[in-house]
Amino acid sequence: MSAKQLFEDMKKNLGKIVPEAELKYKAELAYEIIELKHEKNAVILGHNYMEPALYYTIPDFRGDSLELARQAAKTDKDVIVFCGVRFMAETAKILSPDKTVLLPAKKAGCSLADSISASDVRELKKKFPGVPVVTYVNTYADVKAESDVCCTSGNAAEVVNSLKTDKIIFLPDQYLAANVARETGKHIIYPTRFPKSKTIDLTNLEYQMIGWEGKCEVHEEFNVKDIENTRKQFPDVVILAHPECKPEVCAAADFSGSTSAMVRYVQETKAPHYLLLTECSMGDNIAASNPDKDMLRLCSVRCPHMNEISLEETRDALKNMQYVIEVPEETRIKAYSAVQRMIEIG
Ligand code: 13P
Ligand code: SF4
């Protein structure tokens, strides 16, 4: 396909979402990236939160964290370019250590991954000996290495149910943990909420899940009030919330699921209006592939970390083979079994 054809395609699909002048420039960049991708024998994985002009042009695979981890595990290309955030690229390296994994931005962090360290997990394991640790994939490799099994929002409840133990440590997202506890009928406690001055006898407390107080800085912005106000104005709206939203928000929504589960839900249903309570680029991406559906736009909560990944940065990543993701082998081996278990469930 020529750059001109690519631009015409983009205009047809994204013309209502991205201004034409911007599309022209982005089509040239996307064309350059596709050429470089073939030259370097690379695969590009694009998370559902990528901006539309990137999302619809350069990735070989698009999807949620779980789908992209599965693609990273089975690619036969030499290079994996991860258009997502650092923990996702690290997961790809854990699964495919022989590949060169590139993240097109130096940092591209995540407030959840930054909320917990490996020594925090070791402390918890000391406090709750023998209790299995389930860790959300939104964590760094050294935290995964301390865990028994990882999960994503796409299989969290299945992972918890698969353990068949009476107690589980679930880290680090307090809201995802509370949503999973609700879904699996478990009672959750957060030891970090207990007063530090008092010694609490945890053996006498009733609980089945032990959580941590991490939060996604994007999803914590949504409130039940947003849902109530939207329903007042659009009584027939269907509201979808990512499980990183507060439990009361997920309970008040009509559907809650991973980013890909939300994409599929909109594709497969027919409602007069939809409202997405998640990162705002995904709303643009869904609107582009469902031009017949009315996507209400409540907000412009863009994940600042996902936003670091642009077409320019991806072109430079392939051109200069940067930024190479490395995971120390000892950590990788420990993290591998937790991540491998995750991709096999759900
Ligand atoms: P998904 O696994 O649902 O794609 O979510 C990843 C994420 O970071 C959401 O904020
Ligand atoms: Fe992390 Fe939230 Fe951004 Fe997802 S949206 S990458 S959880 S900060």
Side-chain angles (χ1 to χ4, degrees):
M1 185 189 285
S2 67
K4 194 168 176 294
Q5 273 170 315
L6 186 59
F7 167 65
E8 290 305 328
D9 271 12
M10 286 169 80
K11 206 162 80 174
K12 203 161 81 199
N13 301 331
L14 305 174
K16 287 202 180 109
I17 290 162
V18 187
E20 189 167 329
E22 202 181 308
L23 273 183
K24 208 165 222 159
Y25 165 70
K26 291 194 167 173
E28 277 164 24
L29 269 172
Y31 184 76
E32 197 183 344
I33 294 167
I34 293 164
E35 300 266 280
L36 280 165
K37 177 169 78 171
H38 296 312
E39 192 186 302
K40 308 270 174 156
N41 194 29
V43 63
I44 300 185
L45 306 179
H47 186 260
N48 290 325
Y49 288 167
M50 290 297 104
E51 57 132 334
L54 185 159
Y55 187 74
Y56 281 109
T57 54
I58 59 167
D60 300 283
F61 300 98
R62 298 186 282 256
D64 63 16
S65 312
L66 187 59
E67 291 165 338
L68 296 182
R70 286 182 175 140
Q71 291 300 339
K74 64 180 187 202
T75 185
D76 59 359
K77 300 285 181 193
D78 297 327
V79 178
I80 299 172
V81 181
F82 215 117
C83 291
V85 286
R86 176 165 291 268
F87 74 80
M88 296 177 180
E90 272 193 4
T91 306
K93 186 67 186 178
I94 291 166
L95 288 163
S96 284
D98 301 336
K99 313 287 175 192
T100 301
V101 178
L102 302 177
L103 178 69
K106 246 194 196 132
K107 189 154 189 303
C110 166
S111 66
L112 278 170
D114 288 338
S115 74
I116 193 159
S117 68
S119 77
D120 291 330
V121 186
R122 284 193 290 272
E123 281 303 306
L124 278 168
K125 290 202 287 192
K126 256 192 238 157
K127 213 181 240 168
F128 302 96
V131 178
V133 179
V134 178
T135 296
Y136 193 28
V137 74
N138 294 37
T139 44
Y140 294 120
D142 55 345
V143 167
K144 291 184 172 84
E146 295 293 338
S147 313
D148 294 287
V149 53
C150 291
C151 71
T152 75
S153 60
N155 67 357
E158 283 108 313
V159 168
V160 165
N161 284 332
S162 76
L163 286 171
K164 305 203 184 334
T165 51
D166 61 347
K167 286 187 179 59
I168 286 160
I169 299 173
F170 190 104
L171 310 169
D173 184 349
Q174 60 176 295
Y175 297 141
L176 177 68
N179 285 317
V180 171
R182 187 168 61 101
E183 201 180 330
T184 55
K186 297 195 187 308
H187 175 60
I188 186 162
I189 58 161
Y190 297 88
T192 37
R193 286 187 192 161
F194 298 153
K196 283 215 170 58
S197 48
K198 273 199 193 160
T199 346
I200 312 261
D201 182 5
L202 290 163
T203 52
N204 286 335
L205 280 179
E206 281 230 350
Y207 61 87
Q208 291 137 327
M209 274 172 78
I210 297 137
W212 186 254
E213 289 193 281
K215 281 190 260 187
C216 163
E217 67 191 271
V218 174
H219 292 91
E220 72 166 326
E221 294 299 316
F222 300 112
N223 293 304
V224 173
K225 241 304 80 347
D226 300 322
I227 295 184
E228 286 169 357
N229 290 342
T230 311
R231 290 208 200 277
K232 246 184 241 159
Q233 226 184 319
F234 303 95
D236 46 7
V237 65
V238 167
I239 300 181
L240 295 86
H242 192 274
E244 287 168 10
C245 292
K246 298 173 189 113
E248 60 273 24
V249 170
C250 291
D254 300 294
F255 178 80
S256 179
S258 79
T259 53
S260 286
M262 291 193 276
V263 170
R264 284 192 292 273
Y265 188 96
V266 176
Q267 259 158 12
E268 290 162 11
T269 58
K270 187 133 191 59
H273 316 279
Y274 293 90
L275 175 72
L276 288 175
L277 300 181
T278 193
E279 212 277 343
C280 65
S281 265
M282 206 178 93
D284 288 337
N285 292 335
I286 295 187
S289 45
N290 296 274
D292 54 324
K293 298 191 177 161
D294 181 33
M295 308 297 298
L296 301 177
R297 315 315 298 275
L298 174 76
C299 65
S300 54
V301 190
R302 180 89 175 100
C303 170
H305 314 292
M306 292 280 181
N307 198 33
E308 286 179 41
I309 311 297
S310 62
L311 284 166
E312 286 89 340
E313 300 285 345
T314 309
R315 187 254 335 257
D316 293 348
L318 274 165
K319 238 183 179 170
N320 308 324
M321 296 301 278
Q322 66 192 27
Y323 297 93
V324 178
I325 296 291
E326 301 287 5
V327 176
E329 188 58 8
E330 201 187 322
T331 308
R332 191 196 71 78
I333 291 170
K334 280 163 90 194
Y336 178 82
S337 69
V339 174
Q340 183 58 30
R341 273 178 87 179
M342 168 189 92
I343 63 171
E344 285 165 4
I345 300 174

